[in-house]
Amino acid sequence: MKKNIAIIMGGYSNEFPISIKSGSVVTKHLSNDRFITYPIVVTKESWYYNDENQVAHEIDKNDFSLKLQNERIHFDCVFNAIHGSPGEDGLLQAYFSLMQIPQTSCAYYQAALTFNKRDFLSTIKPYGINCATSYFLNYGDTVNEHEIIDKVGLPCFVKANKAGSSFGISKVYKSEQLKAAINKAFDEDDEIIIESFLDGTEISVGVITYQGKVKVLPITEIVSDNDFFDYEAKYQGKSQEITPARITDIQWQNAEKTAKKVYEVLKMEGYTRSEFIFIGDEPFMLEMNTTPGLTEESILPQQAQAAGISLSELFESAIDEALKNFNA
């Protein structure tokens, strides 16, 4: 029998339009022979499915079901394509766990941990993972600019702690730029992280569970036309994403080993895409994304195709793994 698959997209963050594109691509590439797909848009006001006549049907949040033509649709699995809250920060993972519905991304604790850059980096450092020197601020804290610069140096990066797609990020070269960068980051989040600048090759490493095994995908080198890999570089063509990356064999081995180690240490499931910068041959970890972009142009699908994995195989494997783990 065909399985009913809800493909959730949208969300509550600035990444809404990117997520809609990701969800649409997943819907397009899932097999009609195996699945009946239901694209579900999630907003703060409503969770709904648009039928073929573009009539919106509300999801019943009591059990995440859908009523269509006097038929109650229950879902065998949820494909999570929401970037940012509530699909990448653990909220929906916890909800689906309570509803006892399989879903394709990691569990709620892992999602919440990795979405919080400060907590994530603090957790992986004891495992020998290299990270930039960092300084943390909460909204309302006293800002001691001299103390910050003494710790992280210049230039440095000021980032929102819980925001994706490089929203709220600034590269600061001079002390007089720091205050404005901090205010910009606080526009996105009430917690920020200020990190030392790492001068080296930036890479992105996809790690997934595929056909029952943890698999590191071919590594992508990021070459930004802008000063760093910001929103324009990511989504408006202001970067080169080169797969496979032009790095040495030892750099490749070190990056693969590190990315896989973090995936396994944290007991991850589903897709991850981790960002690193090399200092010499050593990769320094910046962050991990647990619902990365899934359009044809996105980095993880590019890596999968370089590994000989089609988008249909990539997406269907995620569903198969979710169903298998749920029934284990």
Side-chain angles (χ1 to χ4, degrees):
M1 288 182 60
K2 292 184 181 181
K3 296 193 178 297
N4 292 329
I5 308 298
I7 302 159
I8 57 173
M9 61 190 82
Y12 304 162
S13 76
N14 288 331
E15 297 181 84
F16 183 96
I18 305 160
S19 174
I20 294 294
K21 291 180 181 179
S22 290
S24 299
V25 170
V26 173
T27 304
K28 172 184 171 183
H29 285 278
L30 286 179
S31 169
N32 293 327
D33 295 330
R34 296 186 61 197
F35 308 116
I36 303 173
T37 56
Y38 297 86
I40 308 295
V41 177
V42 172
T43 71
K44 287 184 177 179
E45 294 74 30
S46 177
W47 300 4
Y48 61 92
Y49 164 72
N50 278 336
D51 64 21
E52 61 273 11
N53 298 315
Q54 295 304 300
V55 176
H57 300 266
E58 288 284 327
I59 291 289
D60 185 343
K61 296 178 186 176
N62 291 300
D63 60 358
F64 198 74
S65 64
L66 178 64
K67 189 175 182 181
L68 292 177
Q69 300 174 345
N70 297 318
E71 178 186 4
R72 179 66 62 176
I73 306 295
H74 294 276
F75 297 104
D76 298 293
C77 186
V78 175
F79 194 107
N80 183 5
I82 294 179
H83 316 310
S85 187
E88 199 167 4
D89 58 0
L91 294 179
L92 283 178
Q93 288 87 343
Y95 168 78
F96 290 123
S97 179
L98 289 171
M99 294 295 106
Q100 297 189 19
I101 302 173
Q103 56 89 30
T104 57
S105 56
C106 61
Y108 62 90
Y109 170 74
Q110 284 81 356
L113 176 67
T114 52
F115 194 70
N116 188 308
K117 297 180 183 74
R118 295 172 2 177
D119 290 356
F120 169 65
L121 296 172
S122 297
T123 298
I124 63 171
K125 280 181 181 179
Y127 291 94
I129 307 302
N130 294 316
C131 307
T133 301
S134 55
Y135 188 103
F136 305 152
L137 278 176
N138 294 333
Y139 187 77
D141 285 351
T142 300
V143 178
N144 187 326
E145 296 182 11
H146 294 295
E147 184 177 279
I148 293 169
I149 293 170
D150 283 346
K151 184 171 184 182
V152 304
L154 289 172
C156 65
F157 282 102
V158 180
K159 305 176 181 179
N161 188 41
K162 304 185 297 293
S165 295
S166 298
F167 289 112
I169 187 171
S170 301
K171 187 175 181 181
V172 173
Y173 288 90
K174 300 177 181 179
S175 58
E176 52 265 32
Q177 299 172 327
L178 187 58
K179 184 176 180 180
I182 289 172
N183 291 336
K184 178 181 177 181
F186 276 137
D187 285 340
E188 293 292 334
D189 189 17
D190 62 356
E191 300 173 353
I192 67 173
I193 180 170
I194 305 171
E195 292 181 328
S196 60
F197 171 60
L198 300 175
D199 189 9
T201 301
E202 183 169 355
I203 60 166
S204 184
V205 187
V207 184
I208 63 176
T209 302
Y210 183 72
Q211 296 181 348
K213 295 181 180 180
V214 175
K215 182 177 182 64
V216 182
L217 297 173
I219 296 170
T220 299
E221 179 183 353
I222 307 297
V223 182
S224 176
D225 295 341
N226 293 349
D227 194 23
F228 58 94
F229 197 42
D230 59 5
Y231 184 90
E232 278 191 343
K234 283 186 178 181
Y235 300 112
Q236 297 177 5
K238 298 291 183 71
S239 69
Q240 298 177 63
E241 297 161 2
I242 302 166
T243 309
R246 301 168 300 179
I247 55 178
T248 66
D249 290 344
I250 188 64
Q251 287 177 326
W252 192 288
Q253 292 167 15
N254 289 342
E256 276 193 330
K257 180 181 177 182
T258 302
K260 185 177 182 183
K261 179 178 181 178
V262 174
Y263 188 99
E264 293 177 336
V265 160
L266 296 183
K267 300 180 180 178
M268 297 300 299
E269 298 170 345
Y271 307 147
T272 68
R273 197 194 73 231
S274 297
E275 318 303 329
F276 297 89
I277 289 180
F278 280 108
I279 301 299
D281 291 332
E282 294 301 319
F284 280 62
M285 192 157 201
L286 303 178
E287 64 180 0
M288 174 185 278
N289 302 284
T290 57
T291 52
L294 298 173
T295 70
E296 285 95 340
E297 301 81 23
S298 297
I299 292 174
L300 190 89
Q302 288 182 36
Q303 294 175 339
Q305 292 186 309
I309 301 170
S310 70
L311 292 184
S312 295
E313 291 168 332
L314 178 69
F315 300 150
E316 291 176 22
S317 175
I319 294 172
D320 292 339
E321 290 296 326
L323 291 170
K324 182 178 71 175
N325 291 338
F326 184 79
N327 295 317

